[in-house]
Amino acid sequence: MDLTICVLGLLALIVDGIRCQGVYAPPTVRIIHSGHACNVEEERHTERVYTIREGETLELTCLVTGHPRPQIRWTKTAGSVSDRFQDSSVFNETLHIAKIQRTQGGRYYCKAENGLGSPAIKSIRVDVYYLDDPVVTVHQSIGEAKEQFYYERTVFLRCVANSNPPVRYSWHRGREVLTQGSDKGVEIYEPFFTQGETKILKLKNLRPQDYANYSCIASVRNVCGIPDRSVIFRLTNKTASPSIKLLVEDPIVVNPGQTVSLVCITTGGEPPPMLTWVSSNDSLPQRSVMKGGTLTLPAITSDEAGVYSCVASNNVGNPAKKSTTIVVRALKKGRFWITPDPYHNDDHIQIGREVKISCQVEATPPEELTFSWLKNGRALRSSERMVITQTDPDISPGTTNLDIIDLKFTDFGTYTCVAALKGGGIPEISIDVNISSTTVPPNLTVPRGKSPLVAREGDTVELECLVSGKPKPIILWSRADKEAPMPDGSMQMESYDGVLRIVNVSREMTGSYRCQTSQYNGFNVKPREAIVELIVQYPPTVEPVFMEMRQGLGRPVVMTCRVLRAHPSRVLRFEWLLSNRLLHAGAFDAQRDETEYTIRSLNRDGWGEYTCNVINEAGAGKCTFQVTGKAYPPEFYYDTYNPLWQNRPRVYGFKLQWTQMNPNAVDRIVAYRLGIRQMGLQRWWEQEIPVDGTINKGELMTHNLTELIKPESYEVRLTPITRFGEGDSAIRIVTYSAPINPHLREFHCSFEEEPICMFTQDKNDDFDWTRHSAATRDTKYTPNTGPSGDRSGSKQGFYMYIETSRPRKEGDQARLISPFFNVAPKNPYGITNPPAYCFGFFYHMYGKHIGTLNAFLKQKGQTASEGLVWSLSGNQGDRWKQAKVSIHPTSSFQVVLQGIRGPGIEGDIAIDDITLEEGECRDPPPNLSAKALSTSCHIWLLCVTLVLTLLEGQR
């Protein structure tokens, strides 16, 4: 009697208690699949391989347990290179890729972590199957021996198709299947270095019968329902590789804006070749138009110049290719420089000495470039004292020189260099150079007070070098202290007025800058240069920039603001504020890099936003602390066993469970505010859930949600309440799913949907059951076995079957496990009279090598092995038959269907239309073996013996 009271009391505590301890748990992870998988199988017992056809939908779901709720992240690797797919990782449970492409195959990882223990990681390899149309290419070799008047013509037909898995090729001549040895004039082989990639048909010394239609059939043996693909090539005595002709000049020189038409025609080839155009610029211009063999480029620009090639291909021999170059006329970048007499060590121009003026432009095409010189607007011809030359294009392209020998006062004036293109249509470039007594070489200086230049971060600064001389050259700016890019990203910046303007200057720009004269638009002498120092000041960088500090009343709070860096590094002062009220201020201690503020005992007035400003000449760095009594959010518990229940037709209930994050960080939680809203509606319903006593870390709390309308989903919001007020809320979605449960009166599964009614493949068996329909099933290699339709006779309907072809061997087993079915006891303290359920299914066992089909009952919480409840072996004929068996579970249970492979490949076993109903089966179980009966009775006797022993012990 004492034992009975003890057991009943313990059960009452379990049933009635609303809190449990120790529910925090590290994550576990499991990957399940839906979508359009062809097959899912184990590989080396460590990883699942998910096979899918290209263009189908991939859907992988990461099922996790663990508390707090683990964060889930999907990533992918392909080969040895890790790559993020879809530009980023996926941070939710389901990975969905519609119309999957072959490049998206690879290994996908699901990683779950919740801060407890190590992250849980599972992977699945996705193998994308595809088969492209095969392509036949033809080559021929001609051997000739003049002395023997012998002439041989051998033709090679090569078939290639991209595929996964590897393709199998077969050749046909007309309707005749060609195999190695079937015809002495035909040889079929795979090249040594490309085995499996191609199949070559060699026609030796062509005969009249070899002129025919040849078809190459590529097959992946109907895996994933991928049909065979074929291509036909007609071989005749006119078959020839392509030849073409371009009806254009080479090169084609045009002006910008002109329309250019490139015409390409075929002059030979059988079958008729296909013509395409390609460009040396990677791709054809967007505005180009291709029609037949004609490529039209409207309003051409300089960027579209380049080599254009016409390519003709008919898969016979090598493609024919002919090219032409389009040159677009252009003149740009006119520059000049003055070179003083090189025989005197003097940079100045002087009467009686030589001076040379050089002029340079970029011209396209360079051979059309012409120069002319003017003095004071009048044409200038080359003479003994005025020598006009053109520099060797290999040394300095596009350059002309005017040498003035023995400079005289009368030579002073304006010299003009005029560049033009012979073809016309392009504007000329004129460059004026003044030679006079005021023409002097440059000099560079930095204005007083402009170096060092001190600026604050974010300012706009101007670095300045004064350039004197006439003419004024271009100034080049670069970093002098290190090899680093300038603010625009280049290594050197040009300035025409000697000023370098930097917008939004940053601390990284502190340093030395060099200004330097260039030879262009000035004197060709040794460069002049100067250095400008830039110092960028910035306010202190501090941490933390923001920190939330949660604390209960009466407890101390310590806030620390730390300085990481500042310029100038001499920090002046600090100040602590609450909102805008000054609390404390002072000079910063040079020996320390931080300042503290302490609240000895937090009161209600102490809640709020605290700011610490650390100030130097450049400004202030700010640490912000939000001191609050807000409670942390609750942590919803997602691993509740069987949280959803229903006992009325139109409504359901849900067991909502949670723990409290850091419950002791703030004042005691006195209640929770529960909000619930039906999805799609705006109105929230709210109620308070009172809390008695102190909540401990890890305590599991429960509240039953009732009167939820089927099949609606609900958004649930839970908010803790303390003396401070409301804390942070947590939100979750409660979704209705019809429980797979005898309370529904009947469970039925016909495998028409991919999730297969939550059945799962056993991870510890030898191979998997396969979902299939007769419309897609391949019976090419296994005739005389398997069904011709599903249980209803439909070829479109689905069923599950075991495929017994290779690599399966005798004795291999596949196990399909149902979801858990719940037994709801009428007596809350246990089950005294186990309820009865009728488990039924249809089976198809046709073929001379049929093995065995077994059904087991697997009960939760029982250490005993599974109980065999039904078994059948051998050929049962080409028809569907029904099996029914009564089962009597005492706890939540699963049923397991096990298919065992027989001695050969004609042994496919199929199942369909699985049912589970309350009550005994109306018809007696037709196939219960003696072994199954013995096992069932043995388990029941063990249960009876255990009960009797307990009762005897009570006495």
Side-chain angles (χ1 to χ4, degrees):
M1 190 63 187
D2 292 339
L3 175 63
T4 305
I5 294 171
C6 179
V7 169
L8 293 179
L10 181 61
L11 287 171
L13 283 173
I14 294 172
V15 172
D16 295 335
I18 69 160
R19 299 183 188 173
C20 301
Q21 298 286 339
V23 296
Y24 284 114
T28 68
V29 97
R30 184 163 62 96
I31 296 175
I32 64 168
H33 63 88
S34 52
H36 299 129
C38 311
N39 188 32
V40 179
E41 60 184 1
E42 299 287 344
E43 183 182 76
R44 301 186 301 276
H45 304 289
T46 59
E47 183 179 44
R48 295 209 137 191
V49 181
Y50 181 105
T51 307
I52 187 170
R53 181 172 172 173
E54 188 173 51
E56 300 286 6
T57 297
L58 170 72
E59 194 164 281
L60 301 174
T61 300
C62 201
L63 297 184
V64 297
T65 64
H67 188 71
R69 181 71 164 170
Q71 295 289 319
I72 298 172
R73 178 183 179 190
W74 282 98
T75 53
K76 178 202 168 199
T77 60
S80 61
V81 182
S82 176
D83 68 312
R84 297 285 177 89
F85 54 95
Q86 299 172 348
D87 298 327
S88 66
S89 300
V90 174
F91 289 92
N92 57 33
E93 294 181 3
T94 300
L95 171 65
H96 182 95
I97 302 177
K99 296 182 179 179
I100 192 168
Q101 300 301 304
R102 63 194 65 177
T103 55
Q104 293 173 302
R107 186 166 283 109
Y108 287 82
Y109 293 88
C110 174
K111 179 180 180 181
E113 51 187 337
N114 64 356
L116 299 177
S118 300
I121 302 175
K122 288 288 185 185
S123 68
I124 186 168
R125 200 180 82 221
V126 175
D127 210 357
V128 182
Y129 278 7
Y130 58 91
L131 174 61
D132 292 343
D133 287 326
V135 176
V136 170
T137 55
V138 181
H139 297 270
Q140 66 176 358
S141 64
I142 298 176
E144 195 171 352
K146 292 182 179 178
E147 294 83 359
Q148 303 174 6
F149 301 100
Y150 174 73
Y151 183 83
E152 182 188 76
R153 186 181 178 195
T154 298
V155 171
F156 300 86
L157 278 72
R158 177 175 179 172
C159 186
V160 177
N162 296 320
S163 75
N164 182 33
V167 71
R168 289 184 183 176
Y169 300 96
S170 57
W171 282 99
H172 292 231
R173 180 168 56 199
R175 295 185 177 179
E176 174 191 3
V177 179
L178 295 176
T179 57
Q180 183 64 25
S182 64
D183 185 331
K184 291 183 179 180
V186 174
E187 186 178 338
I188 300 175
Y189 66 96
E190 293 180 355
F192 179 73
F193 292 106
T194 57
Q195 287 189 355
E197 298 176 13
T198 182
K199 184 80 84 173
I200 292 180
L201 180 67
K202 179 180 179 182
L203 305 175
K204 299 178 287 188
N205 196 13
L206 277 180
R207 306 160 299 178
Q209 64 265 36
D210 292 330
Y211 295 118
N213 287 339
Y214 291 85
S215 55
C216 170
I217 300 172
S219 173
V220 289
R221 299 160 296 287
N222 204 40
V223 295
C224 283
I226 299 175
D228 295 349
R229 296 182 181 271
S230 63
V231 62
I232 297 176
F233 185 87
R234 181 172 178 79
L235 183 66
T236 71
N237 58 2
K238 295 181 180 179
T239 299
S241 58
S243 58
I244 56 175
K245 181 179 180 181
L246 287 183
L247 303 182
V248 292
E249 298 176 354
D250 184 29
I252 304 170
V253 182
V254 296
N255 289 331
Q258 283 185 234
T259 295
V260 180
S261 291
L262 307 178
V263 181
C264 177
I265 62 171
T266 59
T267 57
E270 179 64 33
M274 293 285 293
L275 295 177
T276 57
W277 282 93
V278 294
S279 167
S280 58
N281 299 327
D282 296 331
S283 61
L284 294 174
Q286 287 187 346
R287 295 175 293 113
S288 62
V289 178
M290 190 159 52
K291 186 175 182 181
T294 301
L295 175 67
T296 302
L297 307 172
I300 196 164
T301 64
S302 296
D303 294 337
E304 294 168 350
V307 178
Y308 287 78
S309 303
C310 175
V311 181
S313 176
N314 65 352
N315 292 339
V316 178
N318 295 318
K321 181 177 180 180
K322 287 190 179 295
S323 303
T324 185
T325 302
I326 297 178
V327 178
V328 181
R329 288 188 180 91
L331 276 177
K332 53 187 178 181
K333 285 192 177 177
R335 289 177 166 177
F336 75 91
W337 58 92
I338 302 169
T339 306
D341 192 334
Y343 300 105
H344 295 81
N345 189 19
D346 191 347
D347 292 342
H348 289 76
I349 295 173
Q350 294 189 21
I351 299 293
R353 294 183 183 177
E354 179 184 336
V355 64
K356 181 166 69 174
I357 306 170
S358 300
C359 175
Q360 184 184 64
V361 295
E362 290 184 12
T364 307
E367 61 270 14
E368 288 192 8
L369 176 62
T370 63
F371 284 108
S372 59
W373 285 90
L374 306 175
K375 179 185 177 185
N376 298 328
R378 298 177 64 181
L380 191 66
R381 298 185 182 277
S382 187
S383 63
E384 288 185 3
R385 276 200 337 102
M386 297 279 184
V387 182
I388 298 173
T389 59
Q390 199 149 335
T391 306
D392 185 340
D394 294 332
I395 298 173
S396 181
T399 305
T400 183
N401 307 294
L402 172 62
D403 275 294
I404 304 174
I405 311 298
D406 187 17
L407 181 68
K408 299 181 184 301
F409 182 77
T410 55
D411 294 330
F412 288 167
T414 299
Y415 291 84
T416 304
C417 160
V418 181
L421 293 180
K422 292 176 184 176
I426 302 298
E428 297 175 339
I429 291 181
S430 296
I431 302 170
D432 292 333
V433 183
N434 187 263
I435 300 294
S436 69
S437 58
T438 60
T439 302
V440 292
N443 191 32
L444 274 183
T445 57
V446 178
R448 181 175 296 180
K450 290 291 187 177
S451 181
L453 185 64
V454 179
R456 292 190 178 182
E457 194 167 42
D459 288 351
T460 295
V461 298
E462 291 185 346
L463 308 187
E464 188 176 351
C465 279
L466 290 179
V467 55
S468 61
K470 184 179 180 182
K472 288 186 178 181
I474 297 172
I475 303 299
L476 304 177
W477 284 92
S478 60
R479 291 294 291 258
D481 54 346
K482 55 185 175 181
E483 197 72 21
M486 296 293 286
D488 69 348
S490 65
M491 297 305 293
Q492 206 172 55
M493 292 176 68
E494 291 185 354
S495 167
Y496 287 87
D497 59 0
V499 175
L500 174 64
R501 182 182 174 87
I502 304 176
V503 178
N504 193 22
V505 69
S506 65
R507 62 192 69 179
E508 293 81 13
M509 296 176 187
T510 294
S512 302
Y513 289 79
R514 178 188 295 110
C515 61
Q516 177 180 301
T517 60
S518 78
Q519 71 173 54
Y520 299 119
N521 297 3
F523 274 69
N524 183 20
V525 293
K526 182 180 179 181
R528 276 60 167 164
E529 65 177 50
I531 301 296
V532 178
E533 295 287 342
L534 174 64
I535 299 172
V536 181
Q537 295 183 343
Y538 52 90
T541 301
V542 296
E543 69 173 11
V545 175
F546 178 83
M547 176 182 284
E548 184 182 61
M549 306 187 76
R550 304 194 185 212
Q551 188 61 281
L553 293 174
R555 302 178 191 174
V557 179
V558 179
M559 291 165 275
T560 303
C561 184
R562 183 174 296 106
V563 178
L564 301 178
R565 53 192 170 273
H567 192 85
S569 56
R570 183 169 54 87
V571 176
L572 298 180
R573 65 186 193 279
F574 67 85
E575 57 184 24
W576 285 91
L577 302 97
L578 172 57
S579 299
N580 292 318
R581 179 166 55 91
L582 183 65
L583 301 173
H584 180 49
F588 206 87
D589 187 348
Q591 303 300 316
R592 301 183 62 193
D593 61 355
E594 61 186 33
T595 175
E596 279 187 0
Y597 184 77
T598 302
I599 305 171
R600 290 186 175 83
S601 178
L602 183 65
N603 57 32
R604 291 181 179 274
D605 295 332
W607 284 323
E609 184 176 278
Y610 290 76
T611 303
C612 174
N613 293 322
V614 182
I615 306 159
N616 70 355
E617 294 173 14
K622 183 166 73 171
C623 294
T624 301
F625 301 88
Q626 185 69 42
V627 178
T628 175
K630 285 177 66 173
Y632 285 95
E635 305 158 316
F636 282 115
Y637 187 64
Y638 285 83
D639 298 337
T640 304
Y641 177 69
N642 210 23
L644 188 145
W645 79 92
Q646 52 183 11
N647 50 15
R648 287 157 58 192
R650 293 191 177 88
V651 297
Y652 68 100
F654 189 87
K655 183 190 294 183
L656 188 70
Q657 294 188 300
W658 70 93
T659 58
Q660 177 59 43
M661 180 191 295
N662 300 334
N664 300 319
V666 295
D667 293 320
R668 185 179 76 80
I669 293 169
V670 296
Y672 284 93
R673 177 165 289 116
L674 172 71
I676 185 165
R677 177 175 69 91
Q678 184 178 321
M679 298 297 285
L681 302 182
Q682 298 298 318
R683 185 173 181 181
W684 285 87
W685 296 91
E686 291 191 339
Q687 70 175 97
E688 280 200 4
I689 305 171
V691 175
D692 296 327
T694 301
I695 300 173
N696 293 319
K697 186 174 179 63
E699 279 193 27
L700 187 64
M701 288 163 280
T702 300
H703 180 80
N704 292 326
L705 304 176
T706 58
E707 304 298 320
L708 305 179
I709 301 170
K710 298 179 186 178
E712 301 297 335
S713 297
Y714 290 84
E715 185 176 359
V716 177
R717 182 177 64 206
L718 197 60
T719 308
I721 300 172
T722 63
R723 285 190 291 174
F724 174 84
E726 291 191 354
D728 289 337
S729 300
I731 292 177
R732 70 163 292 177
I733 304 298
V734 170
T735 303
Y736 174 79
S737 59
I740 300 171
N741 189 308
H743 290 255
L744 295 177
R745 291 287 177 187
E746 180 179 352
F747 164 78
H748 176 258
C749 181
S750 58
F751 304 112
E752 296 305 315
E753 300 296 331
E754 181 59 40
I756 60 173
C757 314
M758 296 174 65
F759 275 79
T760 56
Q761 309 277 1
D762 193 334
K763 290 186 177 181
N764 299 315
D765 56 8
D766 302 306
F767 65 111
D768 283 352
W769 287 81
T770 302
R771 175 178 173 267
H772 237 308
S773 71
T776 58
R777 182 160 177 236
D778 182 12
T779 56
K780 189 172 183 180
Y781 302 107
T782 53
N784 305 317
T785 187
S788 57
D790 72 349
R791 200 275 300 181
S792 66
S794 167
K795 290 189 179 296
Q796 306 301 321
F798 284 85
Y799 52 86
M800 302 294 287
Y801 85 107
I802 60 168
E803 172 58 67
T804 55
S805 301
R806 284 191 296 265
R808 301 277 68 84
K809 56 184 182 292
E810 186 173 3
D812 281 2
Q813 55 176 285
R815 288 164 52 88
L816 191 66
I817 304 175
S818 78
F820 271 102
F821 296 97
N822 300 319
V823 176
K826 295 175 182 177
N827 180 347
Y829 301 112
I831 298 175
T832 54
N833 297 311
Y837 299 100
C838 181
F839 172 56
F841 59 97
F842 283 80
Y843 61 89
H844 189 284
M845 301 170 67
Y846 168 56
K848 63 182 180 182
H849 301 136
I850 290 292
T852 302
L853 178 61
N854 294 324
F856 297 91
L857 176 65
K858 183 179 181 180
Q859 300 193 63
K860 187 167 186 176
Q862 295 195 6
T863 56
S865 60
E866 301 164 354
L868 181 69
V869 295
W870 187 93
S871 182
L872 190 62
S873 302
N875 187 358
Q876 305 297 317
D878 188 9
R879 61 186 179 278
W880 287 94
K881 296 183 178 179
Q882 187 180 23
K884 284 186 177 182
V885 58
S886 294
I887 55 176
H888 303 86
T890 58
S891 64
S892 297
F893 66 96
Q894 295 168 289
V895 289
V896 181
L897 288 158
Q898 178 192 55
I900 302 176
R901 199 247 197 198
I905 63 172
E906 294 181 23
D908 293 356
I909 297 174
I911 56 173
D912 202 358
D913 285 358
I914 294 177
T915 58
L916 191 69
E917 300 173 277
E918 281 188 344
E920 298 280 349
C921 296
R922 298 184 185 88
D923 303 320
N927 292 105
L928 185 63
S929 65
K931 181 180 176 183
L933 184 62
S934 170
T935 305
S936 300
C937 291
H938 181 64
I939 293 172
W940 182 245
L941 284 172
L942 280 174
C943 295
V944 172
T945 303
L946 180 62
V947 171
L948 290 174
T949 303
L950 288 170
L951 292 174
E952 184 66 28
Q954 289 183 27
R955 297 192 189 100

